[in-house]
């Protein structure tokens, strides 16, 4: 039954309910239930207008006169009746037309909240003291700006913002808070009726005035149980990417600016008309010297026609200016005033050599009383050959006796951006942000949109000049195109801010006010859906209030009883003071197309470690700065100065307690990240961490989270770049106990207590569930592209470029953790240094030379940092079917495709495997093992010495199934090993395993382990627990099987030793002898230890052998032998059980040896001298290297099959390379010119011009023609008439450029903006298009005389509708399919 509101009508809205409450089946968020007038009452009976039936009736007769009289009366009555009917019909139709007209003009839409007839207009005016309560039966429409103290909406009341179809309203509501509860609702637009006008809610108030409202505090929009919040602005594309690189200043050649005082004479600049580059800078002092006038005359006469010349007089230029020079200025540049130039007269001119058909820009100002009335300013606009409008200005003036002259070459009237998607929803005056594509996130820039009538639907024009370049291309196969987000929305929620920080708002860290507004949603709300809303100046740093916070809401999708699941769509959250969006003990929320920009603390924030099933789809976060709220938010300064929650005098350590601020902070793996971009954080782009229990407000309310055992949600098509620490980080947890004497660190500081090891149902006894990281793009991250620690993780179809370290695998499969786990990366691309050279500034700290071409470029750390593509920490890891490019060392640093974790005290496993890798062009170091020096230090940690991997197929070393290890590791050697000194490595054949040695009493020894075959080369192991509080020590050397080893100590021998057999297959063995004092008494046992259950089984005690011969003859028995003459205890370590899959041990557990020694002596137990005399052996080969083991045939299956790694996989791109050759390059010995399309290389020989055409709709090569360079007419004819429409046109030249002027005019038909000046160019290459559309990738490349272009590479999209393709193959978007499946599943 519908409730009435007292007016007889049903209420304006049906509110959505969760739980068991009824929700109308036609309900959608914000939609009005249709309001119709009540039906007419039913008729009691219908009159019968038919003739009466014949009955017995009286019959009357009249006279003829009477009959005539009656007939006349009847005629009159009939006439009057007709008149009445006509008048009634006319009135009826007039009323009907009026009603229809009114109805047509109203265009009533039942989906629009403000159009419901029950809603009453409400204009409260401006009264900051008025406290408004909207209650039962009140449905108000705000149609004008207002100021009130506060608004409470409750008991079924509602507030809507008025709108109109033109979107002409501009309504601003200023209030301290809006409190929505118990059936109350706030609507601005609706899901199916997006708001068209401008609506602004300003939340005002200071942190130190008025009282807090319980739960919400101050300055908020708060939704409690039963409340509804529906905000839906005009739809806008939220964010896209550049489709063409935006250079710094907007000009590819860079802008030019010059200003100087007392630069006497003619200051001259010559500008290239095709590129806007300043070619010549000179000054001619024609005031004092006639020779300078002659030099100016000669200089101008020597310039090529078409050159742009800008001249500005400094001080004075007239005294010695000769008439011939004046005439030259008139003839060549069209000057009209130079003849009259007088003493100290300010004069400026911009003209074009030989272009007398167009007017030069010329200005003159007289010198009067040490000043000019205004600046003599000459300015003209031009266009580059690739279509960029630019202006050239020259100016001259006197200011209070000082002469000034200057020039500007800059983009004219705004810069046009080419974008990937249709941006017709963006409007003049909107603000946008473009992400950094360099190492520093501070190269992100904001711009204002200008009107641009000539722009296509993929273009906008910006007002401000860009300070930094922003890449808009796929480079070296990796999509580095900058994200471009729209910040402006027509619904704005903002905090009113003070001019500076005040009160207790952490002003020691912030200069600005950080007490903004906030929106907070509490559990059991009725309906919350937000779309196309702008939040700015929101969040409260000190009060821990977020711009948008779903607080302890539980399930907010169908599982929670919401027929329309809760969502946040296309929000712009920027310039905020406490995160972007908080998802706090809330599950099933959809966050889509939302931007978080310039915020403090973790941006997209999953808070307590129990949040699950949330979907983050196609969101963009950038410029994520440190905050103060959690230790993980803080930077160095905040970390050490905020100590109110530590125990005692503990000073936090920034590197281990703090410094983890992240754009996406994911505290539980059961969430879904699809097509997001983390484009710049102070620390990390995306961080998965693992809470061991619920934390914060959820602590104690939920059972153990088991986050580290929980399978990973969907991770697909995400991109991370411009982060200082790492792009993607999967590791660690937070401290879940409060500070105390045992652990004085602050609650929720970073903690190294968790390892990701996903199992079915988060149960370690159940099967593993491999985590899949698919289609990750990571570039320009200072430290790591990705750091991944955990078990059973696969990274596939991913790209790593320009990172300090591309990818580090730190496996949780390392013993004694979750044995059996592994990590794999496959079908991936690693680029050491790309053609994204970077740009200084924006807090980029490091700059130096690098590859390609030994050019200056920004660097990830500093110029000595050893760049690595794939880094192995421990293992087991598997690198396969991946490609490496551009890893080239310099004189300052080692750069390698494969490397190892530096200063590594941990272990590495010989089960690390590399296979089917392609070490492509420009890889100078395939592998590098550390050497003492910067970053590596002494290179003597245990893990440094035991760094190894198995080259399974020889794709790295050239030898199949070989172990690659460090050059000085004699535990893995045999006489067949191959030294590779460049790598500081060796390549060896054999079978290898590990022993894991634990020692007690003492626990701080250095252990030396020696192969009997190489007694002069012991390996000294410091142990992993390198602190004085450790109760035991552990060592994990890699050993060659079927060999003899001795173990020695630098102090007293340990009283208790446990040795685990790691990676031993059944019957694998080594013989080991441990050094003890000669009077030691032993107890030796073996057992099998099951780590998960901690059950010990198969316990056997060893007996003493009577002699060394007895010992050697009893290998299969449990015997030991103690050689009293040397102090060596001999034992066989032999596995008796089959190893289980990837596990280190068998399914029964790990076989181990326990030695308990009774030691009476305190002497140092080092028996190496005795070993050398008695047990030295000659090195032997157990596994010889086969004669045919080397790899001589190129591996066709090696490397990734994927060529291009883009963030829009639904689009198809083809890789294209054009290499022209100049005369100079040929003379220097470079003879290969070619055009390559999608891997098909077509070479060019002789002094020829080569043209290749590609069908833009299929990507297939349509034709190729070679012309003699001298046959200019044939080339021009083919370019203008011989190429079909919808063709990609590629042109290369070898040696000479054909018919300069003629061919340049022909190139206009292929997309150049004008005919280029090709005279004196060294080389030329063209990417053109034949059709009625100019793609953003069209570009003409030329080089100066004497120089070449090198290889010009582009990745060209095909099958675009803009090309005119009629049969466009639309590839199904995988990310949308994943989203649909998740929504169906939920």
């Amino acid at each position: 039954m519908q409730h009435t509101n007292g007016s007889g009508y049903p209420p304006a809205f049906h509110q959505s309910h969760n739980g068991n409450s009824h929700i109308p089946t036609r309900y959608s968020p914000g939609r009005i239930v249709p309001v119709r007038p009540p039906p007419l009452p039913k008729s009691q009976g219908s009159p019968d207008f038919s003739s009466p039936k014949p009955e017995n009736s009286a019959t009357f007769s009249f006279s003829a006169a009477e009959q005539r009289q009656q007939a006349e009366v009847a005629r009159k009555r009939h006439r009057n009746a007709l008149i009445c009917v006509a008048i009634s019909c006319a009135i009826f139709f007039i009323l009907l037309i009026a009603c229809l007209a009114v109805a047509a003009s109203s265009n009533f839409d039942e989906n629009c909240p403000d159009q419901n007839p029950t809603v009453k207009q409400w204009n409260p005016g401006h009264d900051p003291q008025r406290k408004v309560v909207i209650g039962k039966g009140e449905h108000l429409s705000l149609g004008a700006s207002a100021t009130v103290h506060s608004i409470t909406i409750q008991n079924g009341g509602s507030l809507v913002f008025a709108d109109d179809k033109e979107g002409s309203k501009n309504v601003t509501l200023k209030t301290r808070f809006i409190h929505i509860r118990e059936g109350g609702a706030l609507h601005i637009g609706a899901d199916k009726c997006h708001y068209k006008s401008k609506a602004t809610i300003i939340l005002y108030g200071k942190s130190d005035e008025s009282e807090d409202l319980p739960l919400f505090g101050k300055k908020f929009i708060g939704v409690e149980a039963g409340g509804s919040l529906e905000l839906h602005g005009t739809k806008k594309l939220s964010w896209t990417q550049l489709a063409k690189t935006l250079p710094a200043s907007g000009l590819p050649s860079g802008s030019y600016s010059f200003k100087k005082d007392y630069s006497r004479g003619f200051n001259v600049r010559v500008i290239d008309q095709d590129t806007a580059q300043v070619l010549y800078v000179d000054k001619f002092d024609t005031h004092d010297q006639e020779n300078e006038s002659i030099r100016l005359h000669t200089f101008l006469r020597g310039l090529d026609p078409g050159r742009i010349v800008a001249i500005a007089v400094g001080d004075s230029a007239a005294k010695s200016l000769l008439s011939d020079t004046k005439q030259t200025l008139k003839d060549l540049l069209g000057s009209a005033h130079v003849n009259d130039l007088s003493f100290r007269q300010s004069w400026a001119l911009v003209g074009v050599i030989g272009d007398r058909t167009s007017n030069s820009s010329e200005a003159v100002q007289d010198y009067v009383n040490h000043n000019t009335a205004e600046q003599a300013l000459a300015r003209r606009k031009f266009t580059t050959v690739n279509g960029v409008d630019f202006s050239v200005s020259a100016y001259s003036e006197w200011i209070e006796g000082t002469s000034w002259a200057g020039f500007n070459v800059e983009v004219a009237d705004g810069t046009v951006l080419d974008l990937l998607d249709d941006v017709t929803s963006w409007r003049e005056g909107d603000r946008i942000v473009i992400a950094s594509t360099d190492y520093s996130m501070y190269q992100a820039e904001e711009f204002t949109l200008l009107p641009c009538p000539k722009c296509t639907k993929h273009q906008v024009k910006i007002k401000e000049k860009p300070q930094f370049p922003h890449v808009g291309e796929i480079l070296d196969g990796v999509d580095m195109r900058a994200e471009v987000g729209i910040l402006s929305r027509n619904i704005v929620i903002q905090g009113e801010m003070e001019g500076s920080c005040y009160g207790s708002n952490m002003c020691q860290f912030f200069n600005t006010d950080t007490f903004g507004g906030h929106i907070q949603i509490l559990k059991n709300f009725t309906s919350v859906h937000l779309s196309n809303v702008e939040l700015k100046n929101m969040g409260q740093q000190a009060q821990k209030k977020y711009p948008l916070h779903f607080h302890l809401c539980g399930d907010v999708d169908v599982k929670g009883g919401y027929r329309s699941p809760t969502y946040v769509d296309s929000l712009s959250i920027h310039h905020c003071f406490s995160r972007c969006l908080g998802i706090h003990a809330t599950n099933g929320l959809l966050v889509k197309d939302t931007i978080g920009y310039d915020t403090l603390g973790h941006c997209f924030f999953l808070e307590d470690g129990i949040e699950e099933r949330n979907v983050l789809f196609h969101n963009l976060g950038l410029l994520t700065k440190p905050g103060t709220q959690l230790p993980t938010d803080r930077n160095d300064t905040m970390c050490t100065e905020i100590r109110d929650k530590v125990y005692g005098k503990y000073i936090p350590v920034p590197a281990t307690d703090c410094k983890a601020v992240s754009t996406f902070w994911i505290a539980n793996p059961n969430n879904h990240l699809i097509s997001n971009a983390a484009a710049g954080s102070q620390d990390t782009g995306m961080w998965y961490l693992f809470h061991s229990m619920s934390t914060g407000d959820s602590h104690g309310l939920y059972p153990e989270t088991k986050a580290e055992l929980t399978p990973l949600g969907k991770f697909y098509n995400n991109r991370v770049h411009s982060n200082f620490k790492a792009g993607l980080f999967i590791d660690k947890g937070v401290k879940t106990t409060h500070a105390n004497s045992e652990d004085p660190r602050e609650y929720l500081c970073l903690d190294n207590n968790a390892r990701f090891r996903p199992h079915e149902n988060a149960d370690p006894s159940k099967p593993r569930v491999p985590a899949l990281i698919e289609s990750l793009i990571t570039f320009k991250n200072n430290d790591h592209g990705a750091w991944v620690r955990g078990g059973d993780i696969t990274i596939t179809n991913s790209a790593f470029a320009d990172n300090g370290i591309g990818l580090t695998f730190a496996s949780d499969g390392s013993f004694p953790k979750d044995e059996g786990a592994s990590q794999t990366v496959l079908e991936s691309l690693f680029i050491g240094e790309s053609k994204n050279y970077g740009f200084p500034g924006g807090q980029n700290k490091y700059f130096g030379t690098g590859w390609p071409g030994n050019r200056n470029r920004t660097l990830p750390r500093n110029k000595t940092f050893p760049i690595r593509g794939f880094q192995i920490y421990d293992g087991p890891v598997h690198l396969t079917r991946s490609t490496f490019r551009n890893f080239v060392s310099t004189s300052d640093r080692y750069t390698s495709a494969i490397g190892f974790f530096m200063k590594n005290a941990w272990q590495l496993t010989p089960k690390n495997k590399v296979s089917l890798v392609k070490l492509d062009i420009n890889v100078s170091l395939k592998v590098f093992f550390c050497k003492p020096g910067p970053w590596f230090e002494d290179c003597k940690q245990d893990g440094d010495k035991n760094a190894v991997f198995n080259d399974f197929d020889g794709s790295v070393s050239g030898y199949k199934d070989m172990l690659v290890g460090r050059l000085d590791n004699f535990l893995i050697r045999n006489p067949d090993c191959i030294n590779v000194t460049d790598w500081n490595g060796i390549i060896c054949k054999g079978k290898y395993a590990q022993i894991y040695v634990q020692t007690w009493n003492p626990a701080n020894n250095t252990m030396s382990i020696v192969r009997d075959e190489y007694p002069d080369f012991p390996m000294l192991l410091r142990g992993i627990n390198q602190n004085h509080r450790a109760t035991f020590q552990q060592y994990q050397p890699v050993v060659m099987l079927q060999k003899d080893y001795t173990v020695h100590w630098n102090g007293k021998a340990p009283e208790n030793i446990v040795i685990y057999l790691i990676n031993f297959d059944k019957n694998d063995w080594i013989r080991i002898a441990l050094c003890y004092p000669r009077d030691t008494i032993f107890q030796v046992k073996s057992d099998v230890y099951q780590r998960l259950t901690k059950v010990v089984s198969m316990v056997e005690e060893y007996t003493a052998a009577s002699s060394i011969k007895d010992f050697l003859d009893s290998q299969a028995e449990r015997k030991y032998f103690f050689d009293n003459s040397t102090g060596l205890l001999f034992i066989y370590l032999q596995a008796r059980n089959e190893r289980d899959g990837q596990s280190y041990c068998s399914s029964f557990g790990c076989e181990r040896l326990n030695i308990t020694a009774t030691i009476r002596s305190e002497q140092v137990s080092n028996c190496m001298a005795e070993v050398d005399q008695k047990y030295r052996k000659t090195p032997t080969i157990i596994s010889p290297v086969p004669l045919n083991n080397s790899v001589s045939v190129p591996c066709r299956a090696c490397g990734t099959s994927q060529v291009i790694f883009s963030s829009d996989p639904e689009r198809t791109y083809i890789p294209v390379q054009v290499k022209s050759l100049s005369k100079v390059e040929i003379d220097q010995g470079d003879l290969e010119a070619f055009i390559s399309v999608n891997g098909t290389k077509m070479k060019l020989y002789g002094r020829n011009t080569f043209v290749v055409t590609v069908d833009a709709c299929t990507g297939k090569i349509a034709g190729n023609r070679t012309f003699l360079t001298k046959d200019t007419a044939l080339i021009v004819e083919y370019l203008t008439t011989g190429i079909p429409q919808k063709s990609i046109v590629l042109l290369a030249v070898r040696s000479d450029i054909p018919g300069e002027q003629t061919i340049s005019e022909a190139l206009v038909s292929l997309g150049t903006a004008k005919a280029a000046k090709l005279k004196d160019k060294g080389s030329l290459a063209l990417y053109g298009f034949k059709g009625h559309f100019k793609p953003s990738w069209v570009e003409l490349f030329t080089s100066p005389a004497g120089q070449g272009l090198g290889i010009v590479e582009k990745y060209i999209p095909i099958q675009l509708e803009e090309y005119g393709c009629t049969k466009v193959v639309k590839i199904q978007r995988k990310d949308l399919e994943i989203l649909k499946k998740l929504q169906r599943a939920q």
Side-chain angles (χ1 to χ4, degrees), residues 661-934:
V661 64
S662 304
T663 301
F664 292 84
W665 182 259
I666 312 300
N668 189 297
N670 187 22
N671 292 281
H672 311 287
L673 270 67
I674 306 162
S675 296
N676 299 288
S681 171
Q682 182 67 32
D683 289 310
T684 301
M686 296 177 178
W687 193 315
Y688 283 84
L689 75 160
F690 309 95
H691 290 221
S692 60
M693 63 179 67
S694 56
T695 59
D697 292 338
S698 305
H699 181 63
L701 302 179
Y702 298 87
E704 182 183 351
T705 61
K706 298 182 180 179
E708 61 187 301
L709 296 171
T710 300
L712 183 71
K714 292 292 184 182
F715 187 102
Y716 173 74
N717 196 37
N718 296 295
R719 49 192 284 123
V720 288
H721 63 89
S722 307
N723 301 288
F724 186 80
K725 180 177 286 185
L728 171 66
F729 202 90
I730 301 178
D731 196 4
K732 300 184 184 296
V734 292
K735 181 174 179 281
T736 55
T737 58
H738 290 278
N740 54 61
S741 58
E742 293 295 320
D743 188 345
R745 297 175 302 154
E746 183 176 344
Y747 180 56
L748 298 181
C749 73
L750 206 59
D751 195 81
N752 197 27
N753 62 357
R755 297 290 183 269
F756 185 40
R757 41 198 173 96
H759 287 257
E760 185 179 307
N761 296 331
D763 185 346
S765 67
K766 292 186 176 180
R768 301 175 184 278
V769 181
L772 180 62
I773 306 292
E774 185 177 2
S775 300
L776 169 69
I777 292 177
T778 169
F779 65 94
K780 291 289 181 182
N781 298 290
N782 283 268
D783 199 346
H784 277 85
W787 169 283
V788 178
R789 188 195 293 273
D792 291 305
I793 299 174
T794 296
I795 296 180
T796 183
N797 301 104
S798 298
F800 306 83
D802 290 327
N803 302 294
I805 301 161
L807 168 65
T808 292
F809 268 164
S811 174
D812 195 51
S814 57
F815 187 84
K817 293 289 184 179
D818 187 25
E819 65 266 17
S822 64
Q823 296 175 315
T824 301
V825 57
L826 71 158
E827 287 292 346
S828 294
L829 175 65
F830 294 83
I831 303 294
E833 293 175 299
S834 77
K835 297 183 186 70
N836 180 357
Y837 295 100
F839 192 80
Q843 297 192 20
N844 266 339
K845 297 180 179 178
Y846 308 114
F847 205 71
T849 58
W851 192 261
N854 204 33
R855 286 180 52 174
N856 282 330
R857 60 183 302 127
T858 51
L859 297 172
R861 298 298 289 271
N862 66 25
K863 64 181 182 180
T864 65
F865 183 76
I867 294 172
R868 284 145 284 165
F870 179 69
Q871 176 173 264
I872 302 171
Y873 188 146
D874 40 31
V877 302
H878 186 193
L879 167 66
T880 185
R881 299 206 308 271
S882 294
T883 299
F884 293 80
R885 296 185 188 133
N886 296 346
F887 289 89
V888 180
S889 296
T890 70
S891 58
D892 297 312
R893 66 177 174 272
Y894 298 105
T895 301
S896 62
I898 299 172
F900 298 87
F901 187 73
M902 298 182 298
K903 297 172 285 186
N904 185 8
W906 194 239
Q907 61 90 25
L908 283 92
T909 169
K911 300 304 178 183
N912 291 326
K913 185 168 74 171
V914 178
S915 65
L916 297 173
V917 298
K918 183 178 182 180
L919 297 158
D920 209 344
I921 55 173
N922 305 321
V923 176
S924 63
L925 275 180
K926 298 178 181 180
V927 185
F928 185 69
F929 296 85
C930 66
K931 285 185 176 180

Side-chain angles (χ1 to χ4, degrees), residues 548 550 566-571 573 581 583 588-595 604 614-619 664 672 674 676 1379:
L548 177 58
F550 287 84
T566 310
Y567 65 76
V568 171
D569 186 5
S570 298
L571 266 59
I573 305 171
L581 169 65
I583 302 174
L589 179 67
L590 172 62
V591 182
K592 177 174 173 284
D593 288 320
T594 290
I595 298 173
F604 296 95
N614 299 290
V615 180
L616 284 79
F617 182 89
H618 200 254
N619 302 292
F664 292 84
H672 311 287
I674 306 162
N676 299 288
L1379 178 61

Side-chain angles (χ1 to χ4, degrees), residues 466-478:
Q467 298 180 53
F468 309 105
H470 300 269
V471 172
E473 302 172 59
I474 298 172
L475 295 176
D476 298 288
V478 181

Side-chain angles (χ1 to χ4, degrees), residues 1100 1111-1119 1132 1134 1136:
E1100 294 185 55
F1111 170 74
L1112 295 174
D1113 292 342
S1114 307
Q1115 179 173 338
E1117 301 177 31
R1118 300 297 197 187
K1119 288 188 176 183
Y1132 275 104
Q1134 182 169 1
R1136 297 190 176 186

Side-chain angles (χ1 to χ4, degrees), residues 1148-1177:
F1148 301 107
C1150 288
E1151 298 178 60
R1152 63 182 186 175
L1153 186 76
N1154 294 272
I1155 304 172
T1156 302
T1158 302
I1159 303 173
R1160 299 182 179 89
S1161 171
E1162 296 293 326
Q1163 70 185 46
V1164 174
S1165 292
N1166 188 323
C1167 308
M1168 279 192 272
E1170 291 82 354
V1171 171
D1172 190 21
Q1173 295 172 11
K1174 192 170 183 178
Y1175 295 108
R1176 175 188 285 267
K1177 293 182 179 178

Side-chain angles (χ1 to χ4, degrees), residues 1017-1048:
F1017 301 99
M1019 178 182 285
L1020 274 65
L1021 300 176
R1022 300 173 179 174
I1024 293 166
N1025 300 321
Q1026 295 179 11
N1027 64 72
H1028 298 295
R1029 293 185 297 174
T1031 58
F1032 72 95
Q1033 191 54 269
Q1034 54 190 26
Y1035 316 87
Q1036 301 184 47
V1038 175
V1039 293
M1040 179 181 280
L1041 295 170
Q1042 302 176 45
K1043 294 291 182 180
D1044 297 286
Y1045 301 85
T1046 59
V1047 173
H1048 314 267

Side-chain angles (χ1 to χ4, degrees), residues 143-198:
S145 296
T147 303
V148 296
H149 177 277
S150 58
I151 299 175
T152 300
I153 311 172
Q154 61 189 18
N155 298 329
S158 63
L159 175 63
V160 304
F161 275 50
D163 198 4
D164 57 36
K165 64 180 181 180
E166 293 82 16
S168 62
K169 291 185 176 295
N170 188 345
V171 180
T172 298
L173 173 61
K174 187 174 179 182
T175 180
R176 291 182 179 273
F177 65 80
I178 301 175
H179 187 195
I180 308 166
R181 62 181 187 174
E182 299 172 357
L186 172 62
H187 289 254
I188 307 178
D191 182 57
K192 295 185 178 179
C193 179
H194 286 253
Y195 193 75
K196 304 179 188 68
S197 299
K198 177 74 172 178

Side-chain angles (χ1 to χ4, degrees), residues 162-382:
D163 198 4
D164 57 36
K165 64 180 181 180
E166 293 82 16
S168 62
K169 291 185 176 295
N170 188 345
V171 180
T172 298
L173 173 61
K174 187 174 179 182
T175 180
R176 291 182 179 273
F177 65 80
I178 301 175
H179 187 195
I180 308 166
R181 62 181 187 174
E182 299 172 357
L186 172 62
H187 289 254
I188 307 178
D191 182 57
K192 295 185 178 179
C193 179
H194 286 253
Y195 193 75
K196 304 179 188 68
S197 299
K198 177 74 172 178
T200 304
I201 297 176
I202 298 175
L203 301 169
Y204 72 94
K206 297 176 67 176
S207 62
D208 53 5
E209 63 183 21
S210 75
E211 294 184 358
D212 289 357
L213 194 72
L215 300 177
F216 297 107
K218 302 183 180 76
K219 215 169 174 179
F220 65 86
I221 297 176
V223 182
E224 280 196 72
S228 294
L229 180 63
E230 297 287 337
L231 307 178
H232 301 273
T234 301
K235 289 184 178 180
K236 285 180 180 284
L237 178 77
S238 180
W239 64 276
T240 180
Q241 291 173 264
L242 288 177
K244 186 176 184 178
T245 294
L246 173 65
S249 80
L251 285 172
S253 59
S255 62
Y256 177 84
S257 182
F258 173 87
K259 183 177 181 180
K260 195 174 187 307
D261 59 343
Y262 295 114
S263 182
R264 191 171 65 184
F266 284 104
N267 295 274
V268 178
R269 302 295 182 267
V270 179
I271 299 99
D272 188 321
Q273 66 271 34
D274 290 341
T275 65
Q277 182 178 2
V278 175
L279 301 176
Y280 303 107
V281 175
D282 210 339
K283 181 172 72 72
F284 303 86
D285 186 358
T286 57
H287 172 78
D288 198 43
Q289 302 176 46
E290 290 185 356
N291 285 341
E292 286 291 277
S293 180
I294 295 170
R295 191 168 71 86
L296 174 60
H297 166 84
T298 305
F299 176 79
L300 293 175
R301 290 287 179 185
L303 294 176
D304 293 329
R307 291 294 189 215
I308 301 167
V309 178
I311 305 176
V313 167
D315 194 351
S316 184
K319 178 181 175 183
S320 300
L321 184 61
L322 301 176
S323 57
D324 284 349
T325 307
K326 293 180 180 180
Q327 190 62 43
T328 297
L329 289 165
K330 291 167 60 180
D331 292 344
L332 294 182
L333 297 173
S335 172
H337 300 289
V338 69
N339 273 343
D340 302 320
L341 188 63
S342 61
F343 176 68
R344 289 192 170 175
Q345 194 173 42
S346 291
W347 179 85
L349 176 142
V350 177
V352 177
I353 293 292
D355 185 9
R356 305 193 65 179
T357 59
S358 61
N359 294 324
S360 296
S361 176
E362 190 175 11
V364 181
Q365 289 291 322
D366 291 332
Y367 173 78
V368 179
N369 295 327
H370 309 293
N371 288 282
T372 49
E374 59 185 42
Q375 193 178 70
L377 173 64
R379 184 173 185 264
R380 278 189 63 180
K381 295 180 183 179
F382 305 91

